[in-house]
mmCIF file of all heavy atoms in Angstrom:
data_model
loop_
_atom_site.group_PDB
_atom_site.id
_atom_site.type_symbol
_atom_site.label_atom_id
_atom_site.label_comp_id
_atom_site.label_asym_id
_atom_site.label_seq_id
_atom_site.Cartn_x
_atom_site.Cartn_y
_atom_site.Cartn_z
ATOM 1 N N ASP M 72 22.964 -16.548 -1.192
ATOM 2 C CA ASP M 72 23.822 -16.858 -2.341
ATOM 3 C C ASP M 72 24.117 -18.407 -2.425
ATOM 4 O O ASP M 72 25.072 -18.678 -3.200
ATOM 5 C CB ASP M 72 25.006 -15.992 -2.242
ATOM 6 C CG ASP M 72 25.935 -16.289 -1.027
ATOM 7 O OD1 ASP M 72 25.458 -17.015 -0.067
ATOM 8 O OD2 ASP M 72 26.918 -15.629 -0.900
ATOM 9 N N GLY M 73 23.585 -19.184 -1.600
ATOM 10 C CA GLY M 73 23.872 -20.623 -1.638
ATOM 11 C C GLY M 73 24.992 -21.084 -0.725
ATOM 12 O O GLY M 73 25.422 -22.194 -0.754
ATOM 13 N N ASN M 74 25.601 -20.114 0.022
ATOM 14 C CA ASN M 74 26.792 -20.429 0.748
ATOM 15 C C ASN M 74 26.670 -20.427 2.301
ATOM 16 O O ASN M 74 27.569 -20.687 2.954
ATOM 17 C CB ASN M 74 27.812 -19.333 0.439
ATOM 18 C CG ASN M 74 28.277 -19.424 -1.044
ATOM 19 O OD1 ASN M 74 28.523 -20.518 -1.455
ATOM 20 N ND2 ASN M 74 28.537 -18.377 -1.695
ATOM 21 N N ALA M 75 25.413 -20.348 2.792
ATOM 22 C CA ALA M 75 25.177 -20.664 4.187
ATOM 23 C C ALA M 75 25.574 -22.091 4.517
ATOM 24 O O ALA M 75 25.403 -22.959 3.627
ATOM 25 C CB ALA M 75 23.792 -20.369 4.633
ATOM 26 N N LEU M 76 25.998 -22.435 5.653
ATOM 27 C CA LEU M 76 26.318 -23.825 5.920
ATOM 28 C C LEU M 76 25.232 -24.865 5.782
ATOM 29 O O LEU M 76 25.448 -25.894 5.241
ATOM 30 C CB LEU M 76 26.934 -23.905 7.396
ATOM 31 C CG LEU M 76 27.569 -25.318 7.833
ATOM 32 C CD1 LEU M 76 28.775 -25.173 8.763
ATOM 33 C CD2 LEU M 76 26.455 -26.199 8.515
ATOM 34 N N LEU M 77 24.009 -24.367 6.226
ATOM 35 C CA LEU M 77 22.984 -25.347 6.184
ATOM 36 C C LEU M 77 22.564 -25.468 4.590
ATOM 37 O O LEU M 77 22.174 -26.651 4.215
ATOM 38 C CB LEU M 77 21.721 -24.786 6.856
ATOM 39 C CG LEU M 77 20.419 -25.693 6.856
ATOM 40 C CD1 LEU M 77 20.759 -27.078 7.370
ATOM 41 C CD2 LEU M 77 19.353 -24.994 7.607
ATOM 42 N N THR M 78 22.646 -24.612 3.932
ATOM 43 C CA THR M 78 22.287 -24.630 2.541
ATOM 44 C C THR M 78 23.364 -25.626 1.731
ATOM 45 O O THR M 78 22.940 -26.518 0.943
ATOM 46 C CB THR M 78 22.319 -23.216 1.757
ATOM 47 O OG1 THR M 78 21.364 -22.462 2.392
ATOM 48 C CG2 THR M 78 21.959 -23.367 0.241
ATOM 49 N N ARG M 79 24.504 -25.381 2.069
ATOM 50 C CA ARG M 79 25.556 -26.218 1.539
ATOM 51 C C ARG M 79 25.328 -27.708 1.951
ATOM 52 O O ARG M 79 25.631 -28.571 1.232
ATOM 53 C CB ARG M 79 26.995 -25.779 1.852
ATOM 54 C CG ARG M 79 27.371 -24.459 1.081
ATOM 55 C CD ARG M 79 28.805 -24.128 1.459
ATOM 56 N NE ARG M 79 29.326 -22.978 0.606
ATOM 57 C CZ ARG M 79 30.587 -22.555 0.544
ATOM 58 N NH1 ARG M 79 31.524 -23.024 1.423
ATOM 59 N NH2 ARG M 79 30.993 -21.574 -0.352
ATOM 60 N N CYS M 80 24.991 -27.790 3.118
ATOM 61 C CA CYS M 80 24.769 -29.121 3.786
ATOM 62 C C CYS M 80 23.667 -29.790 2.972
ATOM 63 O O CYS M 80 23.754 -31.081 2.669
ATOM 64 C CB CYS M 80 24.288 -29.101 5.221
ATOM 65 S SG CYS M 80 23.831 -30.566 5.979
ATOM 66 N N VAL M 81 22.602 -29.191 2.693
ATOM 67 C CA VAL M 81 21.460 -29.714 1.957
ATOM 68 C C VAL M 81 21.900 -30.195 0.563
ATOM 69 O O VAL M 81 21.528 -31.282 0.128
ATOM 70 C CB VAL M 81 20.258 -28.704 1.918
ATOM 71 C CG1 VAL M 81 19.301 -29.057 0.729
ATOM 72 C CG2 VAL M 81 19.524 -28.521 3.263
ATOM 73 N N ASP M 82 22.695 -29.336 -0.133
ATOM 74 C CA ASP M 82 23.216 -29.718 -1.459
ATOM 75 C C ASP M 82 24.119 -30.841 -1.455
ATOM 76 O O ASP M 82 24.119 -31.760 -2.254
ATOM 77 C CB ASP M 82 23.821 -28.550 -2.200
ATOM 78 C CG ASP M 82 22.720 -27.590 -2.656
ATOM 79 O OD1 ASP M 82 21.487 -27.866 -2.535
ATOM 80 O OD2 ASP M 82 23.027 -26.516 -3.136
ATOM 81 N N TRP M 83 24.964 -30.906 -0.377
ATOM 82 C CA TRP M 83 25.936 -32.053 -0.155
ATOM 83 C C TRP M 83 25.101 -33.361 0.093
ATOM 84 O O TRP M 83 25.380 -34.392 -0.528
ATOM 85 C CB TRP M 83 26.755 -31.707 0.988
ATOM 86 C CG TRP M 83 27.647 -32.821 1.472
ATOM 87 C CD1 TRP M 83 28.818 -33.462 0.832
ATOM 88 C CD2 TRP M 83 27.387 -33.651 2.612
ATOM 89 N NE1 TRP M 83 29.174 -34.520 1.531
ATOM 90 C CE2 TRP M 83 28.356 -34.628 2.710
ATOM 91 C CE3 TRP M 83 26.356 -33.609 3.668
ATOM 92 C CZ2 TRP M 83 28.476 -35.611 3.796
ATOM 93 C CZ3 TRP M 83 26.495 -34.396 4.712
ATOM 94 C CH2 TRP M 83 27.519 -35.407 4.841
ATOM 95 N N SER M 84 24.157 -33.212 1.034
ATOM 96 C CA SER M 84 23.488 -34.513 1.389
ATOM 97 C C SER M 84 22.643 -34.935 0.252
ATOM 98 O O SER M 84 22.425 -36.196 0.128
ATOM 99 C CB SER M 84 22.553 -34.172 2.630
ATOM 100 O OG SER M 84 21.857 -35.337 3.044
ATOM 101 N N SER M 85 22.079 -34.065 -0.562
ATOM 102 C CA SER M 85 21.254 -34.448 -1.686
ATOM 103 C C SER M 85 21.944 -35.427 -2.558
ATOM 104 O O SER M 85 21.442 -36.472 -2.993
ATOM 105 C CB SER M 85 20.793 -33.292 -2.502
ATOM 106 O OG SER M 85 20.043 -32.323 -1.696
ATOM 107 N N ARG M 86 23.272 -35.010 -2.854
ATOM 108 C CA ARG M 86 24.078 -35.891 -3.769
ATOM 109 C C ARG M 86 24.621 -37.071 -3.018
ATOM 110 O O ARG M 86 24.495 -38.144 -3.562
ATOM 111 C CB ARG M 86 25.232 -35.000 -4.193
ATOM 112 C CG ARG M 86 26.258 -35.710 -5.101
ATOM 113 C CD ARG M 86 27.335 -34.649 -5.513
ATOM 114 N NE ARG M 86 28.058 -34.231 -4.388
ATOM 115 C CZ ARG M 86 29.152 -34.832 -3.947
ATOM 116 N NH1 ARG M 86 29.546 -36.076 -4.353
ATOM 117 N NH2 ARG M 86 29.748 -34.313 -2.949
ATOM 118 N N VAL M 87 25.255 -36.987 -1.778
ATOM 119 C CA VAL M 87 25.894 -38.044 -1.150
ATOM 120 C C VAL M 87 24.850 -39.133 -0.658
ATOM 121 O O VAL M 87 25.069 -40.319 -0.727
ATOM 122 C CB VAL M 87 26.703 -37.550 -0.045
ATOM 123 C CG1 VAL M 87 27.306 -38.626 0.842
ATOM 124 C CG2 VAL M 87 27.865 -36.618 -0.493
ATOM 125 N N HIS M 88 23.760 -38.598 -0.140
ATOM 126 C CA HIS M 88 22.690 -39.588 0.436
ATOM 127 C C HIS M 88 21.599 -39.811 -0.580
ATOM 128 O O HIS M 88 20.732 -40.611 -0.242
ATOM 129 C CB HIS M 88 22.208 -39.125 1.754
ATOM 130 C CG HIS M 88 23.203 -38.751 2.775
ATOM 131 N ND1 HIS M 88 23.440 -37.565 3.370
ATOM 132 C CD2 HIS M 88 24.134 -39.609 3.282
ATOM 133 C CE1 HIS M 88 24.415 -37.657 4.225
ATOM 134 N NE2 HIS M 88 24.875 -38.876 4.264
ATOM 135 N N ASN M 89 21.540 -39.227 -1.754
ATOM 136 C CA ASN M 89 20.628 -39.479 -2.742
ATOM 137 C C ASN M 89 19.163 -39.332 -2.204
ATOM 138 O O ASN M 89 18.406 -40.154 -2.296
ATOM 139 C CB ASN M 89 20.757 -40.878 -3.404
ATOM 140 C CG ASN M 89 19.852 -40.937 -4.590
ATOM 141 O OD1 ASN M 89 19.514 -40.143 -5.335
ATOM 142 N ND2 ASN M 89 19.345 -42.263 -4.741
ATOM 143 N N THR M 90 18.926 -38.162 -1.702
ATOM 144 C CA THR M 90 17.645 -37.878 -1.116
ATOM 145 C C THR M 90 17.242 -36.498 -1.558
ATOM 146 O O THR M 90 17.953 -35.562 -1.737
ATOM 147 C CB THR M 90 17.613 -37.938 0.459
ATOM 148 O OG1 THR M 90 16.307 -37.844 1.005
ATOM 149 C CG2 THR M 90 18.555 -36.811 1.162
ATOM 150 N N LEU M 91 15.890 -36.360 -1.823
ATOM 151 C CA LEU M 91 15.353 -35.129 -2.402
ATOM 152 C C LEU M 91 14.899 -34.258 -1.120
ATOM 153 O O LEU M 91 14.082 -34.657 -0.482
ATOM 154 C CB LEU M 91 14.229 -35.342 -3.370
ATOM 155 C CG LEU M 91 13.586 -34.130 -3.900
ATOM 156 C CD1 LEU M 91 14.585 -33.297 -4.751
ATOM 157 C CD2 LEU M 91 12.236 -34.453 -4.750
ATOM 158 N N TYR M 92 15.543 -33.131 -0.952
ATOM 159 C CA TYR M 92 15.170 -32.238 0.148
ATOM 160 C C TYR M 92 14.035 -31.301 -0.522
ATOM 161 O O TYR M 92 14.268 -30.742 -1.575
ATOM 162 C CB TYR M 92 16.409 -31.282 0.548
ATOM 163 C CG TYR M 92 17.254 -32.050 1.437
ATOM 164 C CD1 TYR M 92 18.286 -32.891 1.094
ATOM 165 C CD2 TYR M 92 17.192 -31.836 2.833
ATOM 166 C CE1 TYR M 92 19.037 -33.556 1.950
ATOM 167 C CE2 TYR M 92 17.977 -32.580 3.789
ATOM 168 C CZ TYR M 92 18.916 -33.481 3.264
ATOM 169 O OH TYR M 92 19.746 -34.129 4.219
ATOM 170 N N VAL M 93 13.027 -31.224 0.185
ATOM 171 C CA VAL M 93 11.862 -30.347 -0.115
ATOM 172 C C VAL M 93 11.677 -29.344 1.002
ATOM 173 O O VAL M 93 11.367 -29.690 2.251
ATOM 174 C CB VAL M 93 10.514 -31.287 -0.223
ATOM 175 C CG1 VAL M 93 9.369 -30.362 -0.575
ATOM 176 C CG2 VAL M 93 10.699 -32.345 -1.281
ATOM 177 N N VAL M 94 11.810 -28.089 0.630
ATOM 178 C CA VAL M 94 11.880 -27.046 1.503
ATOM 179 C C VAL M 94 10.718 -26.072 1.501
ATOM 180 O O VAL M 94 10.336 -25.647 0.422
ATOM 181 C CB VAL M 94 13.244 -26.238 1.282
ATOM 182 C CG1 VAL M 94 13.399 -25.174 2.404
ATOM 183 C CG2 VAL M 94 14.566 -27.211 1.363
ATOM 184 N N ALA M 95 10.126 -25.785 2.651
ATOM 185 C CA ALA M 95 9.074 -24.817 2.669
ATOM 186 C C ALA M 95 9.632 -23.496 2.189
ATOM 187 O O ALA M 95 10.517 -22.907 2.752
ATOM 188 C CB ALA M 95 8.476 -24.672 3.948
ATOM 189 N N GLY M 96 8.854 -22.859 1.154
ATOM 190 C CA GLY M 96 9.366 -21.567 0.599
ATOM 191 C C GLY M 96 9.236 -20.464 1.608
ATOM 192 O O GLY M 96 8.318 -20.418 2.549
ATOM 193 N N ASN M 97 10.113 -19.509 1.601
ATOM 194 C CA ASN M 97 10.187 -18.448 2.613
ATOM 195 C C ASN M 97 8.900 -17.577 2.463
ATOM 196 O O ASN M 97 8.420 -17.408 1.420
ATOM 197 C CB ASN M 97 11.355 -17.588 2.235
ATOM 198 C CG ASN M 97 11.504 -16.381 3.110
ATOM 199 O OD1 ASN M 97 11.093 -16.416 4.353
ATOM 200 N ND2 ASN M 97 12.005 -15.291 2.685
ATOM 201 N N GLN M 98 8.378 -17.169 3.600
ATOM 202 C CA GLN M 98 7.227 -16.273 3.728
ATOM 203 C C GLN M 98 7.455 -14.929 4.170
ATOM 204 O O GLN M 98 6.512 -14.200 4.487
ATOM 205 C CB GLN M 98 6.127 -17.026 4.507
ATOM 206 C CG GLN M 98 5.560 -18.123 3.724
ATOM 207 C CD GLN M 98 4.601 -18.987 4.606
ATOM 208 O OE1 GLN M 98 4.185 -20.054 4.157
ATOM 209 N NE2 GLN M 98 4.145 -18.568 5.608
ATOM 210 N N GLY M 99 8.733 -14.594 4.388
ATOM 211 C CA GLY M 99 8.959 -13.146 4.666
ATOM 212 C C GLY M 99 8.621 -12.769 6.103
ATOM 213 O O GLY M 99 8.492 -13.521 7.028
ATOM 214 N N SER M 100 8.473 -11.394 6.314
ATOM 215 C CA SER M 100 8.377 -10.723 7.555
ATOM 216 C C SER M 100 9.324 -11.228 8.558
ATOM 217 O O SER M 100 9.087 -11.514 9.779
ATOM 218 C CB SER M 100 6.986 -11.076 8.133
ATOM 219 O OG SER M 100 5.962 -10.590 7.076
ATOM 220 N N GLY M 101 10.615 -11.329 8.197
ATOM 221 C CA GLY M 101 11.609 -11.701 9.003
ATOM 222 C C GLY M 101 11.747 -13.282 8.830
ATOM 223 O O GLY M 101 12.355 -13.943 9.744
ATOM 224 N N GLY M 102 11.207 -13.870 7.843
ATOM 225 C CA GLY M 102 11.042 -15.289 7.715
ATOM 226 C C GLY M 102 12.197 -16.156 7.811
ATOM 227 O O GLY M 102 13.144 -15.875 8.622
ATOM 228 N N ILE M 103 12.251 -17.282 7.191
ATOM 229 C CA ILE M 103 13.274 -18.311 7.421
ATOM 230 C C ILE M 103 13.865 -18.727 6.013
ATOM 231 O O ILE M 103 13.610 -19.744 5.595
ATOM 232 C CB ILE M 103 12.741 -19.547 8.275
ATOM 233 C CG1 ILE M 103 11.501 -20.018 7.545
ATOM 234 C CG2 ILE M 103 12.484 -19.167 9.661
ATOM 235 C CD1 ILE M 103 10.958 -21.313 8.036
ATOM 236 N N PRO M 104 14.674 -17.729 5.366
ATOM 237 C CA PRO M 104 14.997 -17.978 4.129
ATOM 238 C C PRO M 104 16.094 -19.067 3.987
ATOM 239 O O PRO M 104 16.153 -19.771 2.817
ATOM 240 C CB PRO M 104 15.650 -16.638 3.687
ATOM 241 C CG PRO M 104 15.939 -15.986 4.966
ATOM 242 C CD PRO M 104 14.998 -16.420 5.961
ATOM 243 N N ILE M 105 17.037 -19.255 4.846
ATOM 244 C CA ILE M 105 17.932 -20.353 4.698
ATOM 245 C C ILE M 105 17.328 -21.738 5.121
ATOM 246 O O ILE M 105 16.707 -21.781 6.105
ATOM 247 C CB ILE M 105 19.080 -20.047 5.677
ATOM 248 C CG1 ILE M 105 19.845 -18.842 5.297
ATOM 249 C CG2 ILE M 105 20.129 -21.262 5.521
ATOM 250 C CD1 ILE M 105 20.867 -18.337 6.307
ATOM 251 N N PRO M 106 17.280 -22.780 4.238
ATOM 252 C CA PRO M 106 18.076 -22.883 3.042
ATOM 253 C C PRO M 106 17.263 -22.891 1.710
ATOM 254 O O PRO M 106 17.492 -23.721 0.771
ATOM 255 C CB PRO M 106 18.554 -24.306 3.198
ATOM 256 C CG PRO M 106 17.412 -25.066 3.897
ATOM 257 C CD PRO M 106 16.747 -24.169 4.630
ATOM 258 N N THR M 107 16.349 -21.853 1.631
ATOM 259 C CA THR M 107 15.580 -21.714 0.359
ATOM 260 C C THR M 107 16.532 -21.235 -0.750
ATOM 261 O O THR M 107 15.984 -21.332 -1.966
ATOM 262 C CB THR M 107 14.542 -20.678 0.527
ATOM 263 O OG1 THR M 107 15.012 -19.482 0.829
ATOM 264 C CG2 THR M 107 13.477 -21.188 1.535
ATOM 265 N N ASP M 108 17.836 -21.050 -0.557
ATOM 266 C CA ASP M 108 18.698 -20.818 -1.641
ATOM 267 C C ASP M 108 19.452 -21.933 -1.978
ATOM 268 O O ASP M 108 20.703 -21.941 -2.658
ATOM 269 C CB ASP M 108 19.730 -19.656 -1.228
ATOM 270 C CG ASP M 108 20.443 -19.922 -0.001
ATOM 271 O OD1 ASP M 108 20.018 -20.836 0.949
ATOM 272 O OD2 ASP M 108 21.458 -19.288 0.390
ATOM 273 N N ASN M 109 19.011 -23.193 -1.769
ATOM 274 C CA ASN M 109 19.630 -24.475 -2.212
ATOM 275 C C ASN M 109 19.526 -24.586 -3.740
ATOM 276 O O ASN M 109 18.668 -24.013 -4.337
ATOM 277 C CB ASN M 109 19.076 -25.603 -1.422
ATOM 278 C CG ASN M 109 17.637 -25.934 -1.934
ATOM 279 O OD1 ASN M 109 17.407 -26.686 -2.917
ATOM 280 N ND2 ASN M 109 16.650 -25.381 -1.162
#
């Protein structure tokens, strides 16, 4: 829902540090979804 600490960190840093975060999309099977909800 966008509220994990790492997801919020990515959105904060994007704005404060003016950098584009590019995140590998989740691939399931117990995958690594956070921070794909950025």
Side-chain angles (χ1 to χ4, degrees):
D72 59 357
N74 290 319
L76 185 142
L77 182 58
T78 302
R79 287 184 171 185
C80 173
V81 164
D82 283 351
W83 167 76
S84 180
S85 296
R86 179 178 61 85
V87 172
H88 302 122
N89 187 32
T90 188
L91 181 64
Y92 280 82
V93 180
V94 180
N97 177 33
Q98 287 173 195
S100 302
I103 53 171
I105 299 169
T107 59
D108 55 340
N109 72 83

